[in-house]
């Protein structure tokens, strides 16, 4: 939902009611993950998607109905191919949607949540989906405050504790509680939607390949920073508007900035005097992905120097070099696709093989 929040915030501020459909649960090969959202606003304008086109027509009508009635609804869509006019997924999966009206009266915290997400401040939104509580009731939970209520103090306290735990992990999903916050499977179901700050992508080396990687990183939702010690190359005009550009020695900048288990580090400097001290720092700190550009001879030379500098075999095993998947890429844009493909495959446990050559679920459970 993050990508449609700016427009939703404008509707909300203008006092325009809208219907918001959110994926709260999926099974098997569902096309979108929990948290994906679609909204229907003034003049029947549609934003976002919950299934990639399979059920959006039905969801459009549901969103209109909940705005008119003021009551949230929970709907499940499964597989359907028997009737050409039936509403259902063709992929064999199943999605459950919460469709609710949003106005200042029914969701007074929505504006503050949208502002927090825009400012990269972490927040979790807890919404009742089912059970003996008001469906669609919301509780916004920040690290140091809360806003709203799910109906009872005990439920609010239990959900607040869980929401802060999920926020630390950036996790999203359903939780079950008794009416007073007891951990039970047969009572109130609450959807916890965590808006952790977007993961970082650190790109070192302000070359043409870096510009292409920065563009695709921005497209994938990363907060991108490009760093190079050479001011003639590290100029903001060479990169997308949302990309931060830093002029500094790469290893010195990395030493001074924060990374975590979601951070992606792309070393594209292709120069040993930059690469070796930078990778010494990178391979000893938290990161989801560390890739370095270069030929196989460059890789061998770089690995030798890093070993001489004291890096262990375990630390070196984290390095993806040469960077990217084998796509036969030539141009900077093609190389950027190769790098992005490797990052996505590592994140979700993909093989990088053509889907036509694999068997089983396309979207494995628990990936």
């Amino acid at each position: 939902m993050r990508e449609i929040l700016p427009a939703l915030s404008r509707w909300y501020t203008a006092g325009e009611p809208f219907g918001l459909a959110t994926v709260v649960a999926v099974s098997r090969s569902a096309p979108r993950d929990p948290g994906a959202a679609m909204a229907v606003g003034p003049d029947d304008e549609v934003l976002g998607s919950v299934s990639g086109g399979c059920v959006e027509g039905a969801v459009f009508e549901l969103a209109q109905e909940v705005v008119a009635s003021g009551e949230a609804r929970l709907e499940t869509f499964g597989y359907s191919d028997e009737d050409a006019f039936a509403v259902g997924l063709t992929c064999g999966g199943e999605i459950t949607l919460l469709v609710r009206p949003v106005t200042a009266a029914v969701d007074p915290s929505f504006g503050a949540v949208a502002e927090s997400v825009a400012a990269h401040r972490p927040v979790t939104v807890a919404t009742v989906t089912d059970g003996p509580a008001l469906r669609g009731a919301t509780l916004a939970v920040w690290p140091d405050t809360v806003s709203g209520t799910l109906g009872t103090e005990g439920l609010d306290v239990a959900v607040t504790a869980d929401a802060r735990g999920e926020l630390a992990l950036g996790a999203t999903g359903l939780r079950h509680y008794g009416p007073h916050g007891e951990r039970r499977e047969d009572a109130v179901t609450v959807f916890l939607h965590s808006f952790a700050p977007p993961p970082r992508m650190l790109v070192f080396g302000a070359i043409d390949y870096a510009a292409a990687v920065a563009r695709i990183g921005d497209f994938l939702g990363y907060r991108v920073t490009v760093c190079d010690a050479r001011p003639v190359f590290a100029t903001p005009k060479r990169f997308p508007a949302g990309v931060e550009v830093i002029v500094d020695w790469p290893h010195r900048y990395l030493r001074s900035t924060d990374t975590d288990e979601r951070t992606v580090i792309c070393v594209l400097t292709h120069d040993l005097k930059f690469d070796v001290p930078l990778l010494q720092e990178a391979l000893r700190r938290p990161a989801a992905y560390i890739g370095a550009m270069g030929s196989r001879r460059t890789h061998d030379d770089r690995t030798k120097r890093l070993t001489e500098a004291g890096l262990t075999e375990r630390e070196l095993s984290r390095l993806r070099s040469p960077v990217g998947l084998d796509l036969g890429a030539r141009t900077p844009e093609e190389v950027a696709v190769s790098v992005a493909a490797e990052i996505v495959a590592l994140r979700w446990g993909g093989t990088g093989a053509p889907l036509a050559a694999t068997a089983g679920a396309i979207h494995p459970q628990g990936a």
Side-chain angles (χ1 to χ4, degrees):
M1 182 162 66
R2 187 187 298 270
E3 67 277 9
I4 65 174
L5 266 177
L8 301 188
S9 182
R10 289 193 293 272
W11 291 347
Y12 184 85
T13 302
E16 299 279 4
F18 57 90
L20 180 62
T22 305
V23 178
V24 297
V26 302
S27 68
R28 299 187 298 278
S29 187
R32 300 296 304 272
D33 290 327
M38 169 181 158
V40 178
D43 300 321
D44 292 337
E45 183 178 356
V46 177
L47 299 172
S49 170
V50 292
S51 75
C54 299
V55 302
E56 270 69 6
V59 175
F60 175 83
E61 294 180 0
L62 282 170
Q64 290 178 315
E65 291 172 10
V66 301
V67 170
S69 69
E71 297 180 356
R73 291 174 58 176
L74 190 69
E75 298 286 343
T76 296
F77 296 93
Y79 178 68
S80 175
D81 70 347
E82 296 177 357
D83 182 347
F85 297 99
V87 176
L89 304 178
T90 59
C91 59
E94 183 176 276
I95 59 172
T96 300
L97 306 175
L98 177 69
V99 190
R100 65 186 182 95
V102 179
T103 65
V106 299
D107 191 350
S109 305
F110 188 89
V113 168
E115 290 177 5
S116 292
V117 175
H120 304 312
R121 293 193 300 269
V123 60
T124 294
V125 178
T127 309
V128 173
T129 66
D130 206 2
L134 179 62
R135 180 174 288 153
T138 61
L139 178 72
V141 180
W142 289 267
D144 56 355
T145 188
V146 298
S147 177
T149 181
L150 302 182
T152 68
E153 182 180 356
L155 183 58
D156 288 348
V157 170
V159 171
T160 295
D162 286 353
R164 286 180 174 150
E166 297 299 273
L167 187 56
L169 299 172
T172 288
L174 293 173
R175 299 293 181 271
H176 306 279
Y177 306 87
H180 301 290
E182 313 94 314
R183 298 313 199 267
R184 285 168 38 184
E185 294 288 329
D186 60 347
V188 181
T189 302
V190 177
F191 179 62
L192 300 180
H193 191 177
S194 295
F195 293 93
R200 300 191 69 189
M201 173 182 279
L202 306 178
V203 182
F204 294 97
I207 59 177
D208 289 347
Y209 291 95
V213 169
R215 284 195 296 272
I216 203 165
D218 182 62
F219 174 76
L220 290 175
Y222 287 92
R223 181 163 62 94
V224 183
T225 298
V226 175
C227 175
D228 198 302
R230 302 162 294 183
V232 66
F233 295 118
T235 59
K237 66 182 181 181
R238 300 184 63 209
F239 300 94
V243 171
E244 179 185 34
V245 180
I246 301 292
V247 179
D248 199 353
W249 276 78
H251 72 282
R252 186 166 60 192
Y253 171 72
L254 183 58
R255 193 175 297 152
S256 69
T257 196
D258 293 329
T259 65
D260 61 25
E261 287 74 12
R262 302 183 302 154
T263 302
V264 165
I265 299 174
C266 298
V267 179
L268 309 181
T269 44
H270 203 200
D271 187 326
L272 289 174
K273 69 175 178 289
F274 294 124
D275 288 3
V276 173
L278 172 58
L279 288 170
Q280 281 182 259
E281 179 69 26
L283 292 169
R284 288 171 169 161
R285 59 165 50 227
Y289 173 92
I290 303 169
M293 177 178 280
S295 66
R296 298 196 187 279
R297 186 172 71 175
T298 297
H299 167 75
D300 292 340
D301 188 12
R302 191 163 48 204
T303 300
K304 177 183 176 182
R305 292 171 185 252
L306 289 169
T307 301
E308 292 171 350
L311 269 76
T312 66
E313 185 174 336
R314 181 177 180 180
E315 289 167 338
L316 288 170
S317 70
R318 301 178 63 204
L319 179 60
R320 300 275 171 159
S321 174
V323 70
L325 295 186
D326 180 14
L327 304 183
R330 302 290 181 120
T331 68
E333 291 74 20
E334 290 173 345
V335 170
V337 171
S338 167
V339 173
E342 185 174 41
I343 291 169
V344 172
L346 184 63
R347 178 181 181 184
W348 296 111
T351 65
L355 285 172
T358 65
I362 294 175
H363 307 290
Q365 291 293 313

